[in-house]
Amino acid sequence: MADYIGRLGRQELEAKGITGWNWGFADQVRFYELDALNHVNNVVFLKWFETARVRYVQDLGLTSYGPGDPQLVIRHQTADYFAPMHQNESYVVTARTSSIKSSSLVMDYAAYAEGECRASGSAVLVSLEQDGKTRRPHVAEAVARIIEEDGAARG
Amino acid sequence: MADYIGRLGRQELEAKGITGWNWGFADQVRFYELDALNHVNNVVFLKWFETARVRYVQDLGLTSYGPGDPQLVIRHQTADYFAPMHQNESYVVTARTSSIKSSSLVMDYAAYAEGECRASGSAVLVSLEQDGKTRRPHVAEAVARIIEEDGAARG
Amino acid sequence: MADYIGRLGRQELEAKGITGWNWGFADQVRFYELDALNHVNNVVFLKWFETARVRYVQDLGLTSYGPGDPQLVIRHQTADYFAPMHQNESYVVTARTSSIKSSSLVMDYAAYAEGECRASGSAVLVSLEQDGKTRRPHVAEAVARIIEEDGAARG
Amino acid sequence: MADYIGRLGRQELEAKGITGWNWGFADQVRFYELDALNHVNNVVFLKWFETARVRYVQDLGLTSYGPGDPQLVIRHQTADYFAPMHQNESYVVTARTSSIKSSSLVMDYAAYAEGECRASGSAVLVSLEQDGKTRRPHVAEAVARIIEEDGAARG
């Protein structure tokens, strides 16, 4: 699996003044992310958080999303919007797990630009079998790693 | 302005067993709304709620989104997901205002299919001048109408 | 499978002054389809054509897109844009097959609003096995139906 | 204006074995770009070409897309698809102008991954005033630069 373009770790995030996160990626606003008000549409931030989530759970070993591996589905999410973003702006999206149980977890996300947090969010995720219904416990190693790296509370 | 295709009022919603809402529209899942897990992506529900919101605030008179009219921007939103949706499924999205202040409001949304609520959401919206910064009070007539029709609390 | 909301047949299309097509659907521009220039983004027309295509090939029996059924993938497509479209505009998208071979077909699409064609397109589609590689011949009944209904040339 | 993340010039492209192009950018497939067939949707390639186009015409000086500057709208586009792309795949999108007239131009695009061209496209673009109707001649310096850098034919 190719390295994520723009992938940032704790030290690189801290060098940008973004503290409290171990996992992030850098990117830039594209034209198709703007809406008719000429700023990044509110839903696009949730796509950025999804991009972070998908790669984060692959990196940390919760799932590969492949056949035989757990599905991770969203039960609840929130987003707060602090300031608009515009065409070509560079930004960093961060992700971490705040708590994890045997077959669910709670994640936090944020989008930073020019040193300020433009939007943040959270999501409650549930681990399911490929049938999309039955709960499937997390891989123990991934849980241990998430607790160690992110300081996630064991729920 | 053309009538919304699939626009439903209180009576039509109640005839479908959907109570507590005055405003809704009917639609159907399209292929581009599915993700790689072959169900409607979580972000798509928020696009449906946006579609409802944009048309609702136009219908109720808060803004036309045109030059000179207020911008309505999102400060906070939440979504809860109860059951997945699939290609070609018919659904109804509903919208209402739960509370309204001089230059902000709180809206609720839901998506129903086959008589059950598949997802719900809420949004805190702020009315701004075209500069995207200065608060702009709502049109008084729109506020009165929203309180009357939706029973919104005056915040 | 639920009926397509807004589905139009030859007579309904002709009643709207749209001739030469047997298959169409009516819809309305949504906020998320606008780009920063405040008109429908060029790529969105191709999503509309996709929505038509997916439902057309299901209606005509080429594939259900389900397990065991052929995949239909795009090899080539074109689009021509004649006039912009805006928020809330009602439109009709039409689809037909111009020629069909044993495991491929060529389709035409158009988007009409206020009696004029705003955009048109075409696509070359190939029928594949679920492996996404091996050619799979069309269902003979679907081919016969497409030739009869659309007057498609047998390639 | 921030540098484009992943922006590649002629030498960097040639180092990747991609010849005949002066302008490109590197990126990676995101989850939201996949469709229900679990590969990158055909329309997404056109979004990538749009991302290239918007930044290319800003880089080359045809427009900033800001107030007072020309609008560049699409009249015609084509796309050819050679092989599917999947989650996390790294790719390079390239753009160039093949011919340019006083108020229009023809651009080519391609998407490369693992040394092969997965999709290509072309677009006919027209330069308009902010009214979206009246033709507006290109900036002479931008035309000269495009002819020099891309070897575009003067139409």
Side-chain angles (χ1 to χ4, degrees):
Chain A
M1 191 163 64
D3 284 340
Y4 198 87
I5 291 175
R7 176 77 177 82
L8 304 169
R10 173 175 288 271
Q11 288 182 320
E12 294 148 307
L13 290 166
E14 289 181 348
K16 291 172 177 288
I18 299 170
T19 58
W21 306 86
N22 283 313
W23 197 103
F25 72 88
D27 208 337
Q28 198 167 25
V29 175
R30 288 115 212 276
F31 182 76
Y32 68 74
E33 298 177 321
L34 308 176
D35 65 22
L37 303 182
N38 204 24
H39 57 218
V40 173
N41 184 261
N42 71 83
V43 165
V44 170
F45 290 90
L46 296 169
K47 288 191 183 178
W48 295 350
F49 298 161
E50 178 190 80
T51 297
R53 176 170 57 250
V54 170
R55 203 58 200 259
Y56 171 98
V57 301
Q58 291 182 328
D59 280 359
L60 278 289
L62 284 175
T63 185
S64 71
Y65 288 96
D69 252 29
Q71 288 190 359
L72 280 176
V73 301
I74 291 198
R75 281 286 183 260
H76 175 71
Q77 69 180 329
T78 67
D80 287 274
Y81 303 94
F82 306 117
M85 292 191 64
H86 300 95
Q87 171 71 9
N88 293 335
E89 268 200 293
S90 293
Y91 63 86
V92 170
V93 168
T94 55
R96 70 181 169 220
T97 301
S98 57
S99 71
I100 189 160
K101 293 187 181 176
S102 59
S103 63
S104 66
L105 69 160
V106 181
M107 289 190 72
D108 299 327
Y109 312 101
Y112 293 87
E114 294 178 333
E116 63 177 14
C117 180
R118 300 290 179 88
S120 66
S122 67
V124 177
L125 305 168
V126 174
S127 175
L128 298 179
E129 299 288 354
Q130 288 286 331
D131 65 5
K133 293 178 186 168
T134 315
R135 287 290 192 113
R136 174 158 166 174
H138 297 311
V139 177
E141 286 175 13
V143 174
R145 195 172 165 200
I146 285 169
I147 289 170
E148 184 192 338
E149 292 196 10
D150 269 356
R154 196 185 289 270
Chain B
M1 191 162 67
D3 283 339
Y4 198 88
I5 291 175
R7 176 77 176 81
L8 304 169
R10 173 174 288 270
Q11 288 183 320
E12 293 148 309
L13 290 165
E14 289 181 348
K16 290 173 178 288
I18 299 170
T19 58
W21 306 86
N22 284 312
W23 198 103
F25 72 88
D27 208 337
Q28 198 166 24
V29 175
R30 288 119 211 276
F31 182 76
Y32 68 75
E33 298 176 322
L34 307 176
D35 65 22
L37 302 182
N38 204 23
H39 58 217
V40 174
N41 184 262
N42 70 84
V43 166
V44 170
F45 291 89
L46 296 169
K47 288 192 184 179
W48 295 350
F49 298 161
E50 178 190 81
T51 297
R53 176 169 58 250
V54 169
R55 203 56 200 260
Y56 171 99
V57 301
Q58 291 181 329
D59 280 359
L60 278 289
L62 284 174
T63 185
S64 71
Y65 286 96
D69 252 29
Q71 288 189 0
L72 280 175
V73 302
I74 291 198
R75 282 284 183 263
H76 175 71
Q77 68 181 329
T78 68
D80 287 273
Y81 303 95
F82 306 116
M85 293 190 64
H86 299 96
Q87 171 70 9
N88 292 335
E89 267 200 294
S90 293
Y91 63 86
V92 170
V93 169
T94 54
R96 70 180 169 220
T97 301
S98 57
S99 71
I100 189 161
K101 293 186 180 177
S102 60
S103 63
S104 66
L105 69 160
V106 181
M107 289 190 72
D108 299 328
Y109 312 100
Y112 293 88
E114 293 177 335
E116 64 178 12
C117 180
R118 301 290 178 89
S120 65
S122 67
V124 177
L125 305 168
V126 174
S127 174
L128 298 178
E129 299 289 353
Q130 289 285 330
D131 65 5
K133 294 177 186 169
T134 316
R135 287 289 192 112
R136 174 159 168 175
H138 297 310
V139 176
E141 285 175 14
V143 174
R145 196 172 164 200
I146 286 170
I147 290 171
E148 185 192 336
E149 292 196 10
D150 268 356
R154 195 185 290 270
Chain C
M1 190 163 65
D3 283 339
Y4 198 88
I5 291 175
R7 176 76 176 81
L8 304 169
R10 173 176 287 270
Q11 288 183 320
E12 294 149 307
L13 290 166
E14 288 181 348
K16 291 173 177 287
I18 299 169
T19 57
W21 306 87
N22 284 313
W23 198 101
F25 72 89
D27 208 336
Q28 198 166 25
V29 175
R30 289 115 211 277
F31 182 76
Y32 68 74
E33 297 177 323
L34 308 176
D35 65 22
L37 302 181
N38 204 25
H39 57 218
V40 174
N41 183 262
N42 71 83
V43 165
V44 170
F45 290 89
L46 296 170
K47 289 191 184 179
W48 296 350
F49 297 162
E50 178 189 80
T51 297
R53 176 170 57 249
V54 169
R55 202 58 199 259
Y56 171 97
V57 300
Q58 290 182 329
D59 281 359
L60 277 289
L62 283 175
T63 185
S64 70
Y65 287 97
D69 252 29
Q71 289 190 0
L72 280 176
V73 302
I74 292 198
R75 281 287 183 261
H76 175 71
Q77 68 181 328
T78 68
D80 288 274
Y81 303 95
F82 306 117
M85 293 191 63
H86 299 95
Q87 171 70 10
N88 293 335
E89 266 199 295
S90 293
Y91 63 87
V92 169
V93 168
T94 55
R96 70 180 168 221
T97 301
S98 57
S99 71
I100 189 160
K101 292 187 181 176
S102 59
S103 63
S104 66
L105 69 159
V106 181
M107 290 190 71
D108 299 327
Y109 312 101
Y112 293 87
E114 294 176 334
E116 63 177 13
C117 180
R118 301 290 178 87
S120 65
S122 67
V124 177
L125 305 168
V126 174
S127 175
L128 299 178
E129 298 289 353
Q130 289 286 329
D131 64 5
K133 292 176 188 169
T134 315
R135 287 290 191 112
R136 174 159 166 173
H138 298 309
V139 176
E141 286 175 14
V143 174
R145 195 171 164 201
I146 285 169
I147 290 170
E148 184 192 338
E149 293 196 10
D150 269 356
R154 196 184 289 269
Chain D
M1 190 163 66
D3 283 339
Y4 198 87
I5 291 175
R7 176 76 177 81
L8 304 170
R10 174 175 287 270
Q11 287 183 321
E12 294 147 308
L13 290 166
E14 289 181 349
K16 290 173 179 288
I18 300 169
T19 58
W21 306 86
N22 283 312
W23 197 103
F25 72 89
D27 208 337
Q28 199 165 24
V29 175
R30 288 118 212 277
F31 182 76
Y32 68 76
E33 297 176 323
L34 307 177
D35 64 24
L37 302 182
N38 204 25
H39 58 217
V40 174
N41 184 261
N42 70 83
V43 165
V44 169
F45 291 90
L46 296 169
K47 289 191 182 178
W48 295 350
F49 298 162
E50 178 191 80
T51 297
R53 177 170 57 250
V54 169
R55 203 57 200 260
Y56 172 98
V57 300
Q58 290 181 329
D59 280 0
L60 278 289
L62 283 175
T63 185
S64 71
Y65 286 96
D69 252 29
Q71 289 189 1
L72 280 176
V73 301
I74 291 198
R75 281 286 183 262
H76 175 71
Q77 68 182 329
T78 68
D80 288 273
Y81 303 94
F82 306 116
M85 293 190 64
H86 300 96
Q87 170 71 8
N88 292 334
E89 266 199 295
S90 293
Y91 63 86
V92 169
V93 169
T94 54
R96 70 180 169 221
T97 301
S98 57
S99 71
I100 189 161
K101 293 186 181 177
S102 60
S103 63
S104 67
L105 68 161
V106 181
M107 290 190 70
D108 299 328
Y109 312 100
Y112 294 88
E114 294 177 333
E116 64 177 12
C117 180
R118 302 289 179 89
S120 65
S122 67
V124 176
L125 306 168
V126 174
S127 174
L128 299 178
E129 298 289 352
Q130 288 285 329
D131 64 6
K133 293 176 187 170
T134 316
R135 286 290 191 111
R136 175 159 167 176
H138 297 311
V139 176
E141 286 175 13
V143 174
R145 196 173 163 198
I146 285 169
I147 290 171
E148 186 193 336
E149 293 196 10
D150 268 356
R154 195 185 291 270

